[in-house]
């Protein structure tokens, strides 16, 4: 049929006017009648189940505070049955006095509820098997026994004044009549809500809508979706349109396999497309960055909301259009989520983009100088190099025949990583004085950063991005380290290359700080010394 040239057989939807009308009306129905959708964040539980992620009690408290500040409604702080350390983390989150409802994951056994009670949480997310695969193979039970146990556990939890949500594990692959019976029994026993779980991300939006539309008739319904088929957010929208009112998700979509639906994507999509409130949008980028830092899971540059390129423009046409009208090539202003627009220079850069980047650094050039700077920027880009802020400033200085006086310069650096505590020491020339300091960290690069912080005591700055590329092969490979540093509302990107990754990292950070402090001093009309003892 693919190449036969024959027309496909008409379907009922194309031959029956009533079917066409019904289908069209269904598509055009309002997305949801809700003015607000609640978010349950499970970064501290389901997100932590991502291979390689392990959160300390302090990490959990830190992230829980950020989630609460953003207005997340419910926080699943962990799984109390996991370990003593996990219970300590949950207990500390519960003791924070957050506005959010704090819960613990609980399997379908009473001991899990008891452990949750010991952590003094507000509620439990009671997960019971729903598909025959889970009922018969995983727990070796029967449908009738699972229903009976679920009722007993809901009654036990509510008798102990816990908020209860019943989740039918693998519900997207369960028999729908049985899923209704199971979750309906949970509600009848006193549960506050039920949850549709696409545990392995196996469902499409049609299946999600079919199930949720029936569950929502029973009572308040939540959505728990994964992204294994790339349908995580699509299934959230299908479920909300079908009657759900709460969404489970994780920040940055961290989680098992392909991850959970990303709550920041849920929040911005509901706001921009449907005028539905969820959380404080201007806290989203901060939240994304913090989760990436704590989990050690970097964000892909093309990731929505939090990715480095979400509001970055290099193409000359795009940059020119964006400078004329910020909405030209962006779906919403970056300030909405607490970000700033970024112009990236490379082989696609145009005159408008280069001029704007120079203006950000308070540099004035004439037409001939601008033409030469653009040509050199493109040449660097053609050689496959990312053009950093430091590259741009160096090019401009050379074109204008200027020499820059360095204010912060690395004189000497040593680092040791043997033993249990990596250490580093630096000697910096700051203005007319030399400063020596040392630091410790989780690795030699981290120790080097702390040593630089100590040497520049009182100078506040943030390491926003850190990236390493090997540019030669072999065991003696030269690496290039690129860092993005910010101080207040000013940021700079700098790269440095060396056979020693730690030295390259420190050189890049010191150069970035020199650029930041010099630019800040020039803007304020003072000597750089005046901005190295503030904050």
């Amino acid at each position: 049929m693919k190449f036969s040239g024959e027309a496909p057989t008409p379907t009922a939807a194309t031959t029956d006017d009533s079917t066409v009308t019904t289908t069209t009306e269904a598509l055009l129905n309002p997305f949801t009648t809700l003015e607000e959708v609640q978010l349950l964040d499970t970064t501290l539980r389901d997100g932590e189940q991502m291979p390689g992620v392990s959160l300390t009690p302090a990490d959990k408290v830190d992230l829980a505070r950020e989630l609460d500040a953003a207005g997340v409604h419910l926080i699943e702080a962990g799984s109390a049955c996991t370990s003593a350390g996990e219970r300590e983390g949950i207990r500390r989150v519960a003791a924070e006095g957050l506005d959010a409802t704090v819960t613990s994951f609980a399997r379908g056994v009473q001991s899990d509820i008891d452990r949750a009670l010991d952590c003094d949480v507000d509620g439990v997310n009671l997960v019971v098997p729903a598909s025959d695969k889970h009922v018969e193979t995983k727990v070796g039970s029967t449908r009738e026994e699972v229903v009976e146990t679920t009722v007993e556990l809901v009654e036990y939890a509510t008798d102990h004044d816990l908020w209860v949500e019943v989740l039918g594990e693998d519900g997207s692959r369960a028999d729908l009549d049985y899923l209704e019976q199971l979750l309906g029994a949970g509600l009848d026993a006193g549960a506050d809500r039920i949850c549709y779980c696409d545990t392995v991300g196996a469902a499409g939006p049609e299946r999600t809508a079919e199930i949720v539309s029936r569950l929502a008739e029973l009572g308040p319904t939540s959505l728990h979706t994964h992204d294994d088929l790339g349908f995580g957010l699509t299934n959230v929208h299908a479920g909300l349109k079908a009657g759900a009112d709460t969404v489970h998700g994780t920040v940055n979509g961290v989680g098992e396999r392909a991850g959970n639906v990303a709550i920041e994507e849920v929040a911005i999509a509901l706001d921009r497309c449907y005028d539905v409130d969820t959380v404080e949008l201007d806290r989203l980028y901060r939240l994304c960055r913090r989760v990436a830092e704590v989990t050690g899971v970097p964000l892909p540059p093309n990731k929505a909301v939090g990715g480095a390129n979400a509001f970055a423009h290099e193409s000359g046409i795009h940059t020119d259009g964006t400078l004329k009208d910020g909405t030209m090539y962006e779906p919403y202003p970056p300030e909405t989520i607490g970000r700033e627009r970024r112009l990236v220079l490379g082989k696609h850069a145009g005159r408008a983009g280069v001029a704007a980047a120079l203006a950000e650094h308070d540099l004035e050039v004439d037409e001939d100088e601008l033409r030469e700077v653009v040509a050199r920027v493109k040449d660097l880009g053609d050689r496959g190099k990312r053009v950093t802020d430091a590259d741009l400033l160096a090019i401009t200085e050379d074109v204008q025949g200027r020499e820059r006086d360095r204010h912060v310069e690395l004189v000497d650096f040593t680092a040791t990583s043997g033993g249990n505590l990596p250490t580093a020491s630096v000697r910096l020339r700051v203005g007319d004085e030399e400063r020596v300091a040392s630091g410790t960290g989780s690795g030699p690069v981290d120790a080097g950063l702390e040593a630089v912080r100590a040497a520049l005591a009182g100078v506040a700055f943030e390491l926003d991005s850190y990236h390493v590329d090997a540019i030669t092969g072999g065991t003696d490979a030269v690496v290039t380290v690129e860092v993005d540093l910010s101080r207040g509302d000013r940021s700079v990107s700098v790269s440095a290359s060396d056979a020693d990754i730690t030295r390259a990292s420190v050189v890049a950070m010191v150069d970035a700080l020199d650029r930041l402090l010099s630019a800040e001093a020039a803007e304020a009309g003072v000597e750089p010394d005046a901005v190295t003892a503030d904050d």
Side-chain angles (χ1 to χ4, degrees):
M1 280 292 293
K2 184 173 182 180
F3 300 106
S4 69
E6 297 178 16
T9 302
T11 63
T14 61
T15 58
D16 187 301
D17 291 341
S18 64
T19 304
V20 171
T21 302
T22 302
T23 303
T24 303
E25 287 178 350
L27 290 172
L28 297 180
N29 279 345
F31 169 70
T32 178
T33 58
L34 298 172
E35 294 183 356
E36 179 186 64
V37 168
Q38 292 197 332
L39 297 184
L40 182 150
D41 182 87
T42 182
T43 304
L44 309 186
R45 197 275 300 176
D46 214 350
E48 192 186 20
Q49 291 178 193
M50 181 175 185
V53 174
S54 181
L55 303 177
T56 66
D59 291 335
K60 285 183 179 275
V61 170
D62 180 26
L63 293 182
R65 288 172 178 165
E66 290 288 347
L67 290 165
D68 193 58
V72 170
H73 309 86
L74 303 106
I75 299 173
E76 191 175 36
S79 179
C81 63
T82 301
S83 67
E86 178 78 344
R87 288 190 286 279
E88 174 61 20
I90 298 171
R91 191 175 293 115
R92 287 178 58 179
V93 171
E96 279 292 302
L98 305 177
D99 291 332
T101 298
V102 177
T103 69
S104 170
F105 173 94
R107 298 167 300 174
V109 292
Q110 184 179 313
S111 59
D112 279 20
I113 297 175
D114 289 333
R115 289 190 174 101
L117 286 166
D118 288 341
C119 296
D120 200 27
V121 293
D122 301 313
V124 291
N125 305 99
L126 180 63
V127 181
V128 295
S131 69
D132 288 338
K133 187 184 296 290
H134 281 245
V135 171
E136 298 169 1
T137 305
K138 179 181 176 182
V139 301
S141 185
T142 66
R143 291 182 175 186
E144 293 74 20
E145 288 174 347
V146 170
V147 172
E148 182 179 348
T149 300
T150 300
V151 169
E152 292 173 355
L153 292 174
V154 170
E155 291 175 344
Y156 181 78
T158 55
D159 285 346
H160 287 79
D161 298 322
L162 288 174
W163 175 92
V164 180
E165 178 183 56
V166 180
L167 298 84
E169 188 173 17
D170 204 25
S172 62
R173 297 190 295 184
D175 175 78
L176 185 45
D177 290 336
Y178 172 64
L179 185 63
E180 274 189 301
Q181 178 191 357
L182 172 64
L183 298 185
L187 286 170
D188 291 342
D192 294 271
R193 61 174 42 251
I194 54 178
C195 183
Y196 160 76
C197 292
D198 188 16
T199 304
V200 296
E206 296 82 8
R207 174 65 172 167
T208 297
E210 177 190 14
I211 297 174
V212 174
S213 63
R214 286 176 57 175
L215 296 183
E217 292 292 324
L218 303 176
T221 302
S222 306
L223 303 165
H224 184 104
T225 68
H226 284 259
D227 208 34
D228 297 79
L229 297 180
F231 274 142
L233 186 56
T234 303
N235 284 336
V236 163
H237 284 240
L240 290 173
K241 188 167 184 176
D245 61 10
T246 298
V247 177
H248 291 205
T250 61
V251 178
N252 299 338
V254 294
E256 296 177 285
R257 304 179 315 279
N260 298 54
V261 71
I263 65 167
E264 69 276 7
E265 295 180 14
V266 173
I268 193 64
L270 292 182
D271 175 79
R272 302 307 296 183
C273 295
Y274 304 106
D275 199 27
V276 174
D277 291 334
T278 51
V279 295
E280 300 296 329
L281 299 180
D282 60 359
R283 304 278 305 193
L284 290 181
Y285 181 53
R286 173 190 175 108
L287 190 55
C288 292
R289 283 180 50 185
R290 191 68 192 116
V291 168
E293 291 168 1
V294 172
T295 61
V297 180
L299 283 165
N302 61 335
K303 170 77 168 61
V305 182
N309 292 345
F311 294 95
H313 305 274
E314 179 183 334
S315 166
I317 296 174
H318 282 208
T319 299
D320 182 61
T322 300
L323 290 170
K324 292 173 179 174
D325 181 348
T327 65
M328 191 77 70
Y329 290 104
E330 293 171 350
Y332 57 91
E335 296 81 11
T336 305
I337 57 169
R339 296 195 67 169
E340 294 181 353
R341 183 174 298 111
R342 190 164 61 94
L343 301 179
V344 179
L345 301 181
K347 71 176 184 178
H348 301 292
R351 290 168 58 87
V354 173
L358 291 171
E360 287 182 358
H361 293 282
D362 300 317
L363 290 175
E364 295 182 1
V365 293
D366 60 31
E367 284 298 314
D368 290 338
E369 291 169 341
L370 177 59
R371 187 179 303 108
E372 178 63 20
V373 172
V374 171
R376 295 197 190 186
V377 165
K378 286 181 173 290
D379 181 59
L380 278 179
D382 280 334
R383 286 186 269 147
K385 189 177 186 304
R386 176 193 173 201
V387 182
T388 67
D389 291 352
D391 293 325
L392 176 65
L393 296 177
I395 288 170
T396 307
E397 289 161 4
D398 186 55
V399 167
Q400 293 184 327
R402 293 183 290 107
E403 289 189 7
R404 180 173 65 91
D405 293 328
R406 289 189 64 100
H407 177 66
V408 181
E409 189 172 5
L410 180 65
V411 178
D412 193 20
F413 169 75
T414 59
T416 59
S417 56
N420 296 325
L421 191 62
T423 61
S425 62
V426 297
R427 181 152 57 101
L428 303 181
R429 181 175 294 111
V430 182
D432 295 327
E433 68 171 310
E434 285 195 353
R435 300 185 187 180
V436 178
S438 61
T440 60
S442 58
V445 173
D446 189 39
L449 174 61
E450 293 307 312
V452 172
R453 287 189 189 278
L456 293 173
V459 177
F461 66 91
E462 294 292 333
L463 177 61
D464 299 323
S465 175
Y466 176 86
H467 181 72
V468 179
D469 274 323
I471 57 175
T472 63
T475 57
D476 61 344
V478 172
V479 298
T480 292
V481 174
E482 295 181 354
V483 299
D484 291 346
L485 261 65
S486 62
R487 176 173 159 82
D489 60 358
R490 184 182 294 274
S491 62
V492 66
S493 302
V494 172
S495 63
S497 299
D498 199 285
D500 184 331
I501 184 175
T502 308
R503 175 173 289 276
S505 302
V506 172
V507 168
M509 285 186 275
V510 171
D511 193 17
L513 283 166
D514 179 52
R515 295 283 184 182
L516 284 171
L517 293 173
S518 297
E520 187 174 336
E523 183 177 346
V526 298
E527 291 298 314
D529 304 70
V531 293
T532 56
D534 63 351
D535 300 316

